[in-house]
Amino acid sequence: MYQRLDPARIIETLTRLKARIDARFPNAGLGRVCAEVIDTAKRTSQRVAALTAPSWGWRIAVGVLIVLGIVAQIAAARFLHIDRIEADAGLLQSLEAAVNLLILFGGAAWFLITWEERRKRQRVLDALHELRSLAHVVDMHQLTKDPTNILNINRTPASPERTMTRFELTRYLDYCAEMLALLGKLAALYGESMRDGVVVDAVNDVEALTTDLARKIWQKIMIIGDLEERRD
């Protein structure tokens, strides 16, 4: 029960996070970003369910094609009359033709058998790219939130107006860190649904990205805490 991530719980957590953002920062773009993450989470839940469900129609079609291919191989062997050939040159030519047919058939069969997995892999990689892009969007929203701006020193006429208090800035950064962590969990859902090595590496890359970005945010939060202690 507690050995796998539940997509419904992730969506529920994201929904609560958006409500918290809207309540404290009703006009912030971060709330709209969170809404986009929620939509992505819902699509992720549907995609993961589709990945775990086998494509029986394709598998039956591949099975039929393989059986037909085997029948064609047997018919070709009979056509070559391998069992009746006595001359060495004729035997070698027939064996070479039979081996070539077997190689082509084996390659075609392997292509058909692995096509479903390769198609799913590409769909997962595209979805992980979407999560990676969202992580960078979240990072852009916190990029200009400099903790030293709460001191209001060394400002220039070109400096942007900063209206957040220390508490509000801390909460804003915390919301960004939470959203990044949840994006990492969405990526982990794909890792649970497919054991493909390429997919697992891509999932690890997204999780490492979100962790690194969240670490930078927590460094800012720690700086704010240090500034508060110095003021006190």
Side-chain angles (χ1 to χ4, degrees):
M1 181 177 180
Y2 295 102
Q3 296 179 352
R4 296 180 63 89
L5 292 171
D6 187 352
R9 294 294 186 183
I10 297 177
I11 296 173
E12 180 183 349
T13 304
L14 281 167
T15 303
R16 292 180 179 176
L17 176 60
K18 183 180 184 305
R20 291 159 58 199
I21 295 173
D22 292 340
R24 196 172 297 279
F25 306 105
N27 298 320
L30 189 63
R32 294 189 290 273
V33 175
C34 191
E36 180 65 26
V37 175
I38 292 173
D39 291 339
T40 302
K42 293 177 180 178
R43 291 195 297 269
T44 299
S45 178
Q46 296 172 354
R47 290 167 180 168
V48 169
L51 288 172
T52 55
S55 179
W56 291 114
W58 174 254
R59 294 186 181 185
I60 292 173
V62 170
V64 171
L65 290 174
I66 291 176
V67 171
L68 292 176
I70 294 173
V71 172
Q73 291 290 311
I74 296 173
R78 291 180 177 178
F79 176 77
L80 293 172
H81 300 293
I82 294 178
D83 56 342
R84 300 180 183 177
I85 295 176
E86 297 180 356
D88 293 340
L91 177 61
L92 290 176
Q93 291 179 357
S94 299
L95 287 176
E96 182 180 1
V99 170
N100 289 334
L101 286 174
L102 284 173
I103 293 174
L104 291 175
F105 173 71
W110 179 255
F111 176 83
L112 293 173
I113 291 172
T114 60
W115 183 82
E116 180 183 359
E117 182 180 358
R118 288 185 285 106
R119 184 190 63 171
K120 289 183 177 180
R121 177 196 300 164
Q122 187 58 51
R123 289 166 57 188
V124 171
L125 293 178
D126 292 340
L128 290 173
H129 179 73
E130 182 181 2
L131 295 178
R132 189 181 296 109
S133 299
L134 280 173
H136 285 293
V137 171
V138 175
D139 184 58
M140 285 297 298
H141 276 75
Q142 68 84 29
L143 198 61
T144 58
K145 303 300 185 292
D146 188 353
T148 59
N149 288 326
I150 61 178
L151 300 176
N152 291 322
I153 58 176
N154 298 326
R155 294 179 57 83
T156 68
S159 298
E161 187 66 25
R162 307 294 184 184
T163 59
M164 288 187 184
T165 64
R166 285 177 291 177
F167 175 77
E168 290 174 337
L169 182 57
T170 301
R171 299 311 302 152
Y172 189 96
L173 293 173
D174 184 51
Y175 295 153
C176 291
E178 288 186 39
M179 203 179 307
L180 287 169
L182 290 168
L183 283 170
K185 295 299 178 287
L186 291 177
L189 288 173
Y190 290 109
E192 290 183 346
S193 63
M194 288 191 67
R195 300 296 180 89
D196 183 86
V198 176
V199 171
V200 172
D201 289 341
V203 169
N204 290 336
D205 290 342
V206 174
E207 290 184 313
L209 172 65
T210 56
T211 300
D212 290 341
L213 295 178
R215 185 180 295 114
K216 293 193 303 181
I217 295 175
W218 280 108
Q219 289 175 350
K220 290 185 176 182
I221 295 175
M222 292 176 63
I223 293 174
I224 295 174
D226 293 339
L227 292 175
E228 289 181 351
E229 290 180 0
R230 293 178 182 179
R231 283 193 169 188
D232 296 339

